[in-house]
Amino acid sequence: MSKSLIFELIKILENSKFRFSNYQDLPGFIFEKIPELKKIKYKKNQLNLDNARYSWLKGLVNSEIERVSEIGSNIGFFSFNMTNDFGVNYESYEVNKDYSEVNKKLSRLLKLNHLLKAYTISMNLKSLLDMKEHDLHINLNVLHHAGTAFDKDLINSQSDWFEYSKNYLGNLSKKGKYLFFQTGNMMNGSSIFDSKETIPFIRSLLMESGWKILKIGIIEDLNKLTYKSYDESEIKKIKVFNCSRNKKTNLVDYFLDGVLVSSLLTGLAQRPLWFCKKKDAQR
């Protein structure tokens, strides 16, 4: 195993700082394959939900899923778990050059580069149409940054976001059969939609974009931080937390039925997971 490649990888992970740095964990199996990474000085600055989200997705992956794309792959938590566990062909898109290099270097070190192709590119509304077709698209907490991190000329206000996102997700439906989706509700410090209206708002967005909702993952216990699955037909049973940033503590306060139940680093635990299938897709 290349010592110089490991050194380069550690240097990037320890020193790269940008808006979305230190968002993900490294998959656990990587430390067994590359023991040198056990002492890395890399600290995640996000809620510890990577394993919980992947565990939920893993239970939904079926034999139809052989080709996967991920927009906003960060350091590759999902890409390496999916290629290692399922042997899928994976295309990851990460706009940050350093983190895209992490995906490339790790794939070589893990000998998964025959399955994983990493691209340093921002996938905007137009470029989605040039994507290859995949069986599953992974799109986690990317779309609420439209208008600020990408496609700045297409969104002028929060009110533009729904129509833009409908077109974005519609373009994805033309290039794949399944979608694993999650999004926030804040853009430039203002709400795109009220957090307590997350379920009906995103449900409408997905349905109008050409996707059929198969499963919804919800965190109900903020101490356990695991996802409970609901069918689309059970949507009226779902209760979501209403969240707001506390200006005094800088934590996100979680309310249920008007009662403060917890305060966490971010609002990630409030955001539902959505597993969908293209409406006209045939088995």
Side-chain angles (χ1 to χ4, degrees):
M1 189 171 287
S2 172
K3 296 293 183 181
S4 62
L5 201 57
I6 294 173
F7 174 79
E8 292 169 9
L9 178 64
I10 291 173
K11 186 178 179 180
I12 293 174
L13 286 171
E14 289 186 343
N15 296 290
S16 182
K17 302 299 177 188
F18 65 106
R19 184 179 179 186
F20 305 114
S21 62
N22 300 77
Y23 261 41
Q24 285 187 349
D25 290 315
L26 288 168
F29 79 91
I30 287 180
F31 298 103
E32 299 174 9
K33 304 273 187 180
I34 313 173
E36 293 89 340
L37 294 180
K38 291 180 180 179
K39 295 182 179 180
I40 192 171
K41 296 176 183 178
Y42 170 88
K43 182 180 180 181
K44 190 171 76 167
N45 296 320
Q46 181 55 277
L47 295 182
N48 189 24
L49 290 175
D50 288 336
N51 283 301
R53 290 188 297 174
Y54 181 63
S55 178
W56 189 81
L57 171 64
K58 193 174 179 180
L60 296 169
V61 173
N62 58 53
S63 59
E64 293 182 63
I65 297 173
E66 298 178 349
R67 300 165 300 164
V68 181
S69 78
E70 181 181 6
I71 297 173
S73 57
N74 207 261
I75 60 172
F77 179 85
F78 288 92
S79 56
F80 291 110
N81 272 312
M82 287 288 289
T83 49
N84 183 67
D85 290 345
F86 295 100
V88 294
N89 288 292
Y90 207 104
E91 291 192 349
S92 70
Y93 300 90
E94 173 52 53
V95 67
N96 181 267
K97 183 179 179 181
D98 284 347
Y99 274 20
S100 184
E101 281 298 312
V102 169
N103 281 268
K104 294 172 184 177
K105 294 181 189 303
L106 267 176
S107 68
R108 288 168 58 192
L109 288 167
L110 297 168
K111 297 181 179 180
L112 291 171
N113 51 319
H114 63 296
L115 295 174
L116 175 60
K117 305 300 178 187
Y119 300 95
T120 312
I121 187 173
S122 175
M123 297 300 290
N124 57 29
L125 187 64
K126 184 178 179 181
S127 58
L128 291 180
L129 297 175
D130 297 323
M131 285 181 71
K132 296 177 183 177
E133 290 195 12
H134 295 84
D135 303 310
L136 169 66
H137 292 299
I138 296 178
N139 194 286
L140 302 176
N141 301 299
V142 170
L143 198 48
H144 63 286
H145 297 296
T148 55
F150 58 95
D151 279 340
K152 298 177 183 179
D153 57 328
L154 297 182
I155 300 179
N156 297 313
S157 65
Q158 280 75 18
S159 59
D160 295 334
W161 187 87
F162 186 91
E163 194 64 29
Y164 170 91
S165 299
K166 189 168 70 172
N167 291 330
Y168 183 100
L169 293 170
N171 283 354
L172 275 182
S173 74
K174 298 172 185 175
K175 297 291 182 175
K177 185 180 291 185
Y178 292 96
L179 173 69
F180 178 40
F181 181 68
Q182 187 179 39
T183 188
N185 73 319
M186 300 295 291
M187 185 176 73
N188 271 343
S190 299
S191 298
I192 305 168
F193 54 91
D194 195 313
S195 62
K196 66 177 179 290
E197 298 298 324
T198 296
I199 294 293
F201 188 92
I202 301 300
R203 177 178 182 260
S204 295
L205 174 62
L206 289 165
M207 293 178 67
E208 291 184 36
S209 304
W211 293 100
K212 178 183 178 181
I213 299 164
L214 300 181
K215 292 289 181 180
I216 306 164
I218 300 291
I219 289 177
E220 297 182 332
D221 187 335
L222 294 175
N223 293 312
K224 293 182 178 180
L225 293 179
T226 56
Y227 289 91
K228 179 179 179 179
S229 286
Y230 286 89
D231 293 331
E232 199 272 340
S233 62
E234 300 176 295
I235 212 160
K236 291 184 178 180
K237 298 179 181 179
I238 299 174
K239 288 188 175 182
V240 296
F241 297 100
N242 190 23
C243 291
S244 62
R245 177 73 64 178
N246 188 315
K247 293 181 180 180
K248 291 183 178 179
T249 64
N250 202 35
L251 296 174
V252 173
D253 291 336
Y254 285 68
F255 297 88
L256 189 63
D257 297 327
V259 178
L260 177 65
V261 293
S262 188
S263 298
L264 301 175
L265 182 64
T266 72
L268 186 59
Q270 186 271 349
R271 303 173 188 173
L273 301 176
W274 304 83
F275 190 76
C276 308
K277 188 174 184 178
K278 183 179 178 179
K279 283 185 178 179
D280 60 355
Q282 301 296 317
R283 292 193 65 88

